[in-house]
Amino acid sequence: MMNFAPMTIMQTVILIMAGVAAEGGQFFITMAYSHAPAKEISIYDYSQIIFATVLSFFVRGQIPDHLSFIGYGIIIGASGIMFIYNNKRVSN
């Protein structure tokens, strides 16, 4: 609070654009859930991890460490296993 500095106009515009993009993404994922069962759509929710990683690499030049890759693998692997498990349960 002692070193408060108001945002610049560019920072404000970027913040608003990020909010609009997040709202749009949430709107469309909610719309998708109304058109298909959650078990078929939920796996696509995890694509945000991949997009965030790619964006951070290209925009900020950040390189994930080995623990990040282990986390990506666990999250994507678990979601894939649940997707396959739920689809097998329905077909049986």
Side-chain angles (χ1 to χ4, degrees):
M1 291 175 40
M2 301 306 248
N3 297 322
F4 174 77
M7 291 192 299
T8 65
I9 298 213
M10 188 60 164
Q11 290 172 327
T12 305
V13 168
I14 291 171
L15 181 62
I16 290 169
M17 289 172 46
V20 168
E23 184 275 330
Q26 186 62 48
F27 175 79
F28 286 113
I29 196 69
T30 302
M31 197 159 70
Y33 277 112
S34 70
H35 292 288
K39 67 181 172 24
E40 294 177 10
I41 295 173
S42 62
I43 192 167
Y44 299 107
D45 259 342
Y46 296 106
S47 65
Q48 65 187 326
I49 297 166
I50 296 167
F51 289 125
T53 302
V54 170
L55 274 173
S56 68
F57 177 75
F58 286 112
V59 174
R60 304 209 48 195
Q62 295 177 336
I63 299 172
D65 64 354
H66 70 284
L67 292 176
S68 295
F69 284 108
I70 291 170
Y72 303 150
I74 291 170
I75 292 168
I76 293 169
S79 65
I81 290 168
M82 288 303 298
F83 180 76
I84 292 168
Y85 173 77
N86 286 333
N87 282 338
K88 282 184 179 180
R89 243 179 60 194
V90 169
S91 63
N92 288 337

